[in-house]
Amino acid sequence: MCICGGSTSPTACQGAAGDTMELFPASFKGLALIALMLASCSAGGSSAPAPMSAPQGQPAPAAARRALSDDPALDIFVQSLTHNQALDVGDPASALAPATTLAGIGAPEDTPCEAEGLICDRRQAALLFAAATLAQPTAQAAVTSLQLEAPLTLADVTPQVAPSQPLSAREQAVVALFERNTNSVVNIFDVTLGGGPRQTALVDAPEGNGTGFILDTSGHIVTNYHVLQSVLGRLPPRPASGTRAQAAKVALVTVLLGPGNDTQTFDGYLIGMDRAKDLCVLQIRPPQDVLRRLRPASLGTSADLRVGQAVNALGNPFGFDHTLTTGVISGLGREINSQLGGVIAGAIQTDAAINPGNSGGPLLDMAGRVIGVNTAIFTNSGTSAGLGFAIGVDTVRRVVPQLIASGRFVRASLGIQVANGAVARTLKVPRGAMVQSVAPGGAGERAGLLPPRRSFGGVLPGDVVTAVDRTVVAKPGDLANALEMYDVGDAVSLTVLRSAGESAQQELKLQAKLQADSA
Amino acid sequence: MRPALAALVDDDIAAAVFEASMASVVSLTAFRTEGREVVEEGVGSGVVWDRLGHIVSNYHCVARLAKDTTGQQATEVGITGAGGTMRYPARIVGLDPEKDLAVLRIDAPAADLLPVKVGTSGDLRVGQTVFAIGNPSGLSHTLTAGVVSGLNRAIPSPGGTLTGGAIQTDAAINSGSSGGALLDSSARLVGLSTATFTRRTQGARSSGVNFAIGVDVVRDRGVFLIGATGTVW
C-alpha cells in the first residue's frame, strides 16, 4: 500500500498504486481510482490542506470545503460523492463519521506529510472511503457501515514492524558456523541414475542424491559409499596399481563457491571406496581458478566427544541443499548396522534432524570441525525421528588416506568372521566377540582360534575374544574397532574365553600376527 | 505450558519468547454439523493479527470451510487466557491458496485480543534460533525450538503451484501446528508454520525439515486480504 508518510517518490507510489488497484476489485471505476492514488502520492507534502480553526469534530463548513478543494485528489473524491447525491460533505449537522474523518484532514499548512499519522493517514482513510463508496450502490450504505465502526485507517490493520534485539551469543555462533562451513558441503548425485541435480525438491529424492564435503584443495570429496551404491556396486575392484587417469566418473558434484546461488557442477571421479566402512572418496577436477576457491572442511577428532555436546549437521535432506540442523550428541560408541552389511563401530548418535539426502554430509562441533559423517537413521517412517548416526571422524581419518593412496582400505585383520549379536545371544555368549568361522591359513587359524565345533553335548561355541592387548572387547563390533588401531603385520595378544564343555571355560592368551584384508 | 527445548537454546530466551507470545497464538477447530451431530474434523493454529479480531492462519486449515456450500462446516477459534479458553466462531475474510494463507475474523472483545509482535523475514539468517508455538495433535500451546535451516525454499501450495520464499526450520512442526507462529528470539513473528516434509505414506510427522511462510508475505497478503472485502471500511 502506498502510505504517503515518508515517501514522496512517485516511483514508489506507482508501484504501490498497482498493488492498491488489486485491493479493490474490477467493479470499481478503476481509472478514477488510479488517478486518485497517484495524485495523492505525488501531492504528498506538497499541497497541505488549508488550516482548520475549528476543533476536531466540529468543522466549520467553509473551512472544510477549503481544505478539500486545495487537494486535487480530494477534489475528485468530493465530486464523486456529490455525484452520488448521498452526502453533503460540508454539513456539520449531519455529524456523520465520514464528515468527521474528512474534517480531520484539515491541519496546519506546514504540517509535513511525514508527521506521524495525522495528514496522510486520514487522507488515506478518506480515499479508501471513497473507494468503498464507489463500490456501494448507494453511498448511504457505506456511510452506515462507517458509522458502526470507529474511523479506521490502513495503519490499524497493518501491524508495525517491531524492532529486533540483537541475536544472542549462541545464535551468532551458529549463524557464523553455518556461514563459514556451508561452502565445504557439496551436493552429490549418482550419475547413473536418471535426472540430475535439481534446484528444488518437489518429491522425495531417490537414493543417489546425497551430501559430501570437501577434504582438501586437490578437490577430494568424502561421502558415504551407499550414496553412490548403484554405480559403485557395478564397478570391478580397482586394482592396487590403478592410476588416477583410469578413475571412473561416478557422480555429479555441485559445489557452492560463493554467497547466493554461486554454484558449479563438476564430474566426480572415484578415487577409493570401502564398502564395510560405507565411505568413499571422489575427486573433482575443476579449472585452477575454481580449485583455488574451494573451501575444505577442517577435521576434528571423535575420541574426546561428550554426550550432550552441541552438534550441527549440514546436508541436502530431500534435496533441500545446504540445510542446517542442530542438536546434541545423544550417544557415543554406537554401532551402525550398515545397509551394506557391515558393522561400523564407534559411531556418534545425534538428535540433529538427519534425513534421506543427508548421507555423506558432515557433523560439526561448535568450533566448526567435522567430527562425523552422517550415515544412517533409525526410523520406521523413513524420515528423521531424532535418532541419527554418524561415522566418527577418527574412523574417517584412518580410512580416507588409504582410499586416496591406494583406492581401498586394507585393514589389519585376523582372517576370522565374528558372530553378530543375535547369533551370540542364541549361543548364550553375553560378552566379547565370538569367532564364527576361521579362514584357512589365516592369522586367526595360525594363532589357534577355534570356531564353533561339535562335542558330546552338542555344539560348543567358538572362542570368544574379550580383549586385544589391553583393549577390552565387549561387543562384537569392538573387535574390528580395536584392530583398526593396528597395521598389517603387527603382533597382538588376544585374550580368549574357550569353552571346554559343560559350561566350563578357560581363559587363554593367543598370539596373532595381523594379516591384510580388504572389503 | 509444554516447552520442548532444543539443545542450542538459551532457556531464559525460550521462556521469555513463550510468555510474550503464547497469548497471540490461538487454536482453530474445524467442525461439521450433520443434523444434531457435531463432529470435530481437525485442529490447527492461528495468530492474532490485530485488535479487530483478524486471525491469520493457513488456507489448508480452513479449506473445508472455504469450499463448503452446505453450511455444515464451521470453524472455531479458541483463545486461552487467564480465565480459560474462550471460543468464538470464525468467518473467513480472505483466502490465498497460492500462498496457503487465510485471514479469519472473530468477534471478541478487543481487550482479549493480544496481537502478535510482527517482525521481518527478509533479513533472517540461517542458524538463528526460532521458536514455533502451535497446537500439534491438539496439545495446546506447545513450544518447539530449532534454528533456521534454510531460506527462500520453494514448497508446494494447496493452490497446486510452487510457492517460494518459505523459511526452512528444524523446530518440530506437526499436524495441528500449522497456522501457528514462528518467532525469533526477540519474540517477533517471522513466519507462519505451514508444513513438514514427509514421505507420502506416513502422516504429517515432523521430519526436522519444516517450513513456514515468511512474515513479509503474510504481512503483504494478509493486509490485502483484509482490505479486499471491505470489512474494515
Side-chain angles (χ1 to χ4, degrees), chain A residues 6-46:
Chain A
S7 167
T8 53
S9 148
T11 322
C13 286
Q14 269 163 22
D19 288 347
T20 310
M21 268 309 297
E22 281 183 287
L23 195 67
F24 304 101
S27 57
F28 280 94
K29 310 217 178 341
L31 287 173
L33 190 56
I34 292 182
L36 213 65
M37 292 303 170
L38 283 175
S40 79
C41 294
S42 59
S46 58

Side-chain angles (χ1 to χ4, degrees), chain A residues 152 157 159 162 164-165 168 170-171 174 179 202-204 310 318 320-321 323-326 328 355-356 384, chain B residues 7-8 10 49 52 117-118 125 127 129 149 153 162 168 170 185-186 188 197 199-200 207 211 224 232-233:
Chain A
L152 286 163
V157 293
S164 69
Q165 314 299 318
S168 73
R170 226 186 289 205
E171 281 187 277
V174 179
E179 283 168 6
L202 257 189
V203 295
D204 297 350
F318 310 121
F320 290 102
D321 66 287
T323 288
L324 170 77
T325 53
T326 58
V328 292
N355 281 284
S384 168
Chain B
L8 292 178
D10 298 305
W49 191 250
L52 300 168
K117 206 162 64 166
V118 170
R125 300 170 78 188
T129 305
S149 292
R153 299 305 201 193
L162 270 187
Q168 183 185 343
D170 62 356
S185 48
S186 307
R188 308 181 315 156
F197 200 99
R199 301 261 178 197
R200 263 185 225 101
S207 58
F211 298 95
F224 160 65
V232 176
W233 295 284

Side-chain angles (χ1 to χ4, degrees), chain A residues 407-439:
Chain A
R408 54 213 172 111
F409 178 60
V410 176
R411 52 181 50 77
S413 147
L414 285 169
I416 61 170
Q417 221 178 354
V418 166
N420 67 24
V423 171
R425 276 192 292 276
T426 314
L427 289 172
K428 307 232 187 331
V429 174
R431 290 180 51 83
M434 196 199 80
V435 175
Q436 189 163 284
S437 69
V438 175

Side-chain angles (χ1 to χ4, degrees), chain A residues 136-489:
Chain A
Q136 305 282 359
T138 61
Q140 186 58 42
V143 164
T144 309
S145 74
L146 248 195
Q147 265 183 311
L148 294 175
E149 317 243 325
L152 286 163
T153 66
L154 197 65
D156 283 342
V157 293
T158 308
Q160 299 281 60
V161 170
S164 69
Q165 314 299 318
L167 300 178
S168 73
R170 226 186 289 205
E171 281 187 277
Q172 291 198 31
V174 179
V175 169
L177 182 144
F178 174 77
E179 283 168 6
R180 277 199 292 266
N181 292 284
T182 184
N183 298 95
S184 308
V185 175
V186 301
N187 193 347
I188 293 185
F189 204 86
D190 185 331
V191 76
T192 61
L193 295 184
R198 286 186 303 272
Q199 293 303 324
T200 61
L202 257 189
V203 295
D204 297 350
E207 287 304 320
N209 184 40
T211 308
F213 62 91
I214 302 174
L215 186 68
D216 55 32
T217 46
S218 307
H220 287 113
I221 311 283
V222 172
T223 183
N224 280 139
Y225 176 102
H226 79 257
V227 168
L228 299 170
Q229 146 181 29
S230 169
V231 56
L232 296 182
R234 284 183 253 156
L235 286 177
R238 183 181 159 205
S241 56
T243 62
R244 292 277 154 127
Q246 293 161 357
K249 179 179 133 178
V250 295
L252 289 171
V253 178
T254 303
V255 184
L256 182 69
L257 290 166
N261 228 6
D262 184 6
T263 59
Q264 286 190 44
T265 302
F266 304 100
D267 293 334
Y269 296 91
L270 176 67
I271 295 302
M273 57 187 183
D274 189 78
R275 220 181 122 97
K277 292 284 176 232
D278 203 355
L279 286 171
C280 162
V281 174
L282 310 175
Q283 190 182 30
I284 54 173
R285 293 163 184 171
Q288 265 302 313
D289 59 322
V290 172
L291 261 187
R292 270 197 295 273
R293 292 172 73 189
L294 291 182
R295 306 258 290 265
S298 45
L299 299 185
T301 53
S302 48
D304 51 355
L305 295 174
R306 301 167 70 190
V307 173
Q309 192 173 331
V311 288
N312 309 274
L314 277 171
N316 306 306
F318 310 121
F320 290 102
D321 66 287
H322 297 93
T323 288
L324 170 77
T325 53
T326 58
V328 292
I329 293 183
S330 305
L332 289 166
R334 303 302 202 204
E335 284 184 353
I336 299 175
N337 287 313
S338 150
Q339 50 183 276
L340 306 161
V343 171
I344 305 168
I348 304 163
Q349 182 188 339
T350 177
D351 66 349
I354 293 177
N355 281 284
N358 270 113
S359 294
L363 190 68
L364 305 165
D365 64 10
M366 280 309 294
R369 293 179 299 231
V370 178
I371 50 153
V373 173
N374 301 314
T375 297
I377 57 177
F378 191 93
T379 172
N380 52 15
S381 67
T383 61
S384 168
L387 294 168
F389 297 89
I391 301 171
V393 75
D394 289 350
T395 305
V396 175
R397 278 177 181 279
R398 276 197 298 275
V399 172
V400 161
Q402 278 204 42
L403 295 184
I404 294 177
S406 62
R408 54 213 172 111
F409 178 60
V410 176
R411 52 181 50 77
S413 147
L414 285 169
I416 61 170
Q417 221 178 354
V418 166
N420 67 24
V423 171
R425 276 192 292 276
T426 314
L427 289 172
K428 307 232 187 331
V429 174
R431 290 180 51 83
M434 196 199 80
V435 175
Q436 189 163 284
S437 69
V438 175
E445 193 191 54
R446 281 199 292 270
L449 283 170
L450 296 178
R453 55 217 177 275
R454 286 190 179 285
S455 77
F456 301 118
V459 174
L460 279 179
D463 284 353
V464 178
V465 178
T466 55
V468 176
D469 287 340
R470 291 224 195 100
T471 308
V472 169
V473 173
K475 301 192 296 284
D478 289 349
L479 178 60
N481 215 30
L483 291 178
E484 279 188 10
M485 304 295 178
Y486 297 90
D487 291 322
V488 173

